[in-house]
Amino acid sequence: MKTLMIDTLFNRLDANIPFAVQFADGTVNQYGHEEPRLYLKLNEGFSLTRLLKEPSIAFGEAYMDGDIEIDGDIEDIISLALHNKQELWNVNVPKLPNLSIRKAKQNIEHHYDIGNEFYALWLDETMSYSCAYFKEPYDSLNQAQLNKIDHVLNKLQLKEGETLLDIGSGWGELIIRAARAYGVRSHGVTLSEEQYAKTKARIEELGLEDQVTVELMDYRELVHSGLTFDKISSVGMFEHVGQKDYPTFMKTVNTLLKDKGMALLHTITHQTEEAGDPWIQKYIFPGGYIPSLREIVTLLPEYNFHVVDIESLRLHYAQTLDHWSSRFETTIDRSEEMYGERFIRMWRLYLQSSAAFFRNGGLDLHQTLFTKHVNNDLNMTRAHLYE
């Protein structure tokens, strides 16, 4: 009976990726009209009831627990799921509460404070944990991350002596490079204690205390400092703000940015407003919400922000995730020693499925550049980005 019910569910799917399933009783069924590219083995612990009730979480947890084994590319599973999105996902816009500073810090700690040693195993030398920029397909991950940092800083048209704020400064490579290569005074804020400690240590090692500052604080607290900045960047942080706090974020940027100043927002986006994947929400990024591009653009005029440039880096993120996933697989012994097999399977699913979402159009990455009020003193073409 259980096998029959699962078979009925799978038969409802449009099998754009042909697949086969071995059920716990040994039965093997195929779906689609071609030779299967993907093989799933459902072990005894697999729960049909949970799959019907919450497909994403049930599938993710079953893989983490070894109740599902996968022979084939996880990207094919995501392609199949996206093709059958109406069957598998609740696409309604979530009703998420405003994030208190305390809750925001807890959410960040859940993901970013796993430990610097873990991230250092598979990130590049810059410890950049956001979309890289591949000028050439064969760029190394490290080179592509340096490309991305320079791409952001060049877009901001930094001038020596200016001040730069980076909201969500990660492990500090952007604020350090801004100071060393562009001659600006840079300031970073992060809620991650691990990132803060690493960044502070790097600043001291390089003797940049007079030029680079990092603080362990919520970006909203910075408005009480009286500081203002010529330029503001935020790379990979906006996804953690929460939909209801978008106006607060924009108002804060407006307060901190000098008149005619320029800001760059680098964030993952959805095509339309929709709920995030439930498994990702539970295990990877609690409290996160990915905006649509039009949500961002619609907000900007309310604060007299003027759009200068919008660029999609969707395929750059897919390639970045390919690099991370490959590097992660080479560190499994050490990672499993630290965190166990279930953790490894969780991260494998997260990294590989994320790459698939970017390739299949479920996710995008946009850099939106804007000024506070009208600024007529900017470069009139993009030529400076490619010199």
Side-chain angles (χ1 to χ4, degrees):
M1 177 64 71
K2 179 178 178 181
T3 297
L4 178 61
M5 293 176 68
I6 299 175
D7 180 62
T8 300
L9 171 65
F10 288 161
N11 271 313
R12 289 209 311 264
L13 303 181
D14 181 1
N16 64 313
I17 303 292
F19 66 104
V21 176
Q22 178 179 325
F23 297 92
D25 63 4
T27 303
V28 177
N29 288 352
Q30 295 187 13
Y31 306 89
H33 302 296
E34 300 176 6
E35 190 70 19
R37 280 170 38 187
L38 180 66
Y39 294 83
L40 303 179
K41 182 181 179 183
L42 307 184
N43 296 321
E44 194 61 43
F46 181 78
S47 170
L48 172 63
T49 303
R50 289 207 64 209
L51 185 69
L52 293 172
K53 183 178 180 181
E54 42 187 8
S56 174
I57 291 179
F59 181 87
E61 290 182 344
Y63 178 72
M64 289 162 62
D65 294 332
D67 294 328
I68 290 179
E69 298 293 346
I70 299 170
D71 183 4
D73 292 336
I74 288 177
E75 184 161 342
D76 281 343
I77 296 176
I78 301 305
S79 177
L80 177 67
L82 283 171
H83 192 69
N84 293 274
K85 191 171 186 177
Q86 294 300 325
E87 285 281 350
L88 299 175
W89 270 287
N90 172 13
V91 297
N92 294 327
V93 178
K95 292 180 171 31
L96 298 174
N98 293 79
L99 280 177
S100 66
I101 291 176
R102 179 181 178 184
K103 184 60 178 175
K105 183 170 175 57
Q106 289 174 346
N107 290 343
I108 293 301
E109 288 173 347
H110 174 90
H111 189 85
Y112 295 94
D113 285 349
I114 294 171
N116 287 341
E117 180 183 355
F118 170 68
Y119 286 105
L121 289 174
W122 51 274
L123 293 180
D124 71 298
E125 292 91 327
T126 70
M127 291 287 284
S128 294
Y129 187 32
S130 56
C131 176
Y133 182 65
F134 293 87
K135 289 185 177 181
E136 302 291 347
Y138 49 78
D139 280 343
S140 67
L141 178 61
N142 182 250
Q143 183 60 58
Q145 290 293 7
L146 291 171
N147 293 345
K148 182 273 300 297
I149 291 167
D150 282 334
H151 200 52
V152 169
L153 298 178
N154 285 331
K155 281 187 176 184
L156 287 168
Q157 300 181 36
L158 294 174
K159 297 179 177 60
E160 187 171 351
E162 287 187 331
T163 53
L164 168 71
L165 168 66
D166 190 28
I167 300 175
S169 53
W171 283 278
E173 183 66 24
L174 187 145
I175 56 176
I176 288 171
R177 181 156 181 80
R180 298 179 78 188
Y182 296 79
V184 304
R185 295 177 60 85
S186 54
H187 190 101
V189 292
T190 177
L191 280 174
S192 166
E193 294 187 9
E194 291 278 318
Q195 291 179 341
Y196 169 75
K198 179 68 174 178
T199 303
K200 192 169 179 60
R202 292 187 64 202
I203 292 169
E204 293 172 357
E205 289 169 7
L206 294 169
L208 294 172
E209 294 94 331
D210 292 337
Q211 203 172 350
V212 184
T213 306
V214 64
E215 293 190 86
L216 182 65
M217 67 186 309
D218 189 283
Y219 74 97
R220 289 167 287 188
E221 298 174 287
L222 201 56
V223 296
H224 306 299
S225 68
L227 295 172
T228 56
F229 301 87
D230 297 296
K231 307 290 170 63
I232 294 177
S233 59
S234 183
V235 178
M237 175 270 181
F238 195 64
E239 300 92 325
H240 301 290
V241 167
Q243 188 183 39
K244 287 190 174 181
D245 283 310
Y246 287 172
T248 300
F249 180 89
M250 293 299 177
K251 183 178 179 181
T252 302
V253 170
N254 187 53
T255 299
L256 297 172
L257 189 61
K258 294 180 181 178
D259 190 33
K260 297 188 178 182
M262 189 182 299
L264 183 141
L265 183 62
H266 168 123
T267 182
I268 300 170
T269 58
H270 274 139
Q271 184 75 0
T272 59
E273 302 74 42
E274 59 184 74
D277 179 79
W279 182 80
I280 292 287
Q281 286 272 343
K282 182 175 180 178
Y283 285 99
I284 308 298
F285 292 119
Y289 172 77
I290 295 173
S292 67
L293 178 61
R294 65 187 178 190
E295 280 184 283
I296 297 170
V297 174
T298 300
L299 276 168
L300 299 179
E302 300 300 319
Y303 303 90
N304 206 6
F305 291 145
H306 294 250
V307 175
V308 175
D309 186 80
I310 299 175
E311 181 178 14
S312 168
L313 299 181
R314 178 177 63 83
L315 289 178
H316 292 266
Y317 215 156
Q319 191 164 338
T320 302
L321 283 152
D322 288 343
H323 277 273
W324 287 344
S325 181
S326 176
R327 293 164 70 95
F328 175 76
E329 292 296 329
T330 68
T331 71
I332 283 179
D333 289 346
R334 178 59 182 142
S335 297
E336 187 171 343
E337 181 184 321
M338 290 190 291
Y339 301 107
E341 181 183 359
R342 192 172 192 264
F343 178 89
I344 295 300
R345 293 172 75 96
M346 179 181 74
W347 271 81
R348 177 185 292 125
L349 183 60
Y350 157 56
L351 292 172
Q352 293 186 25
S353 64
S354 293
F357 272 104
F358 282 102
R359 280 205 178 82
N360 284 279
L363 293 175
D364 208 322
L365 187 290
H366 283 98
Q367 290 186 344
T368 303
L369 185 68
F370 54 92
T371 60
K372 179 178 176 178
H373 307 142
V374 174
N375 187 333
N376 294 327
D377 298 322
L378 305 176
N379 293 323
M380 292 181 64
T381 73
R382 291 179 171 179
H384 64 285
L385 299 177
Y386 309 109
E387 292 173 350

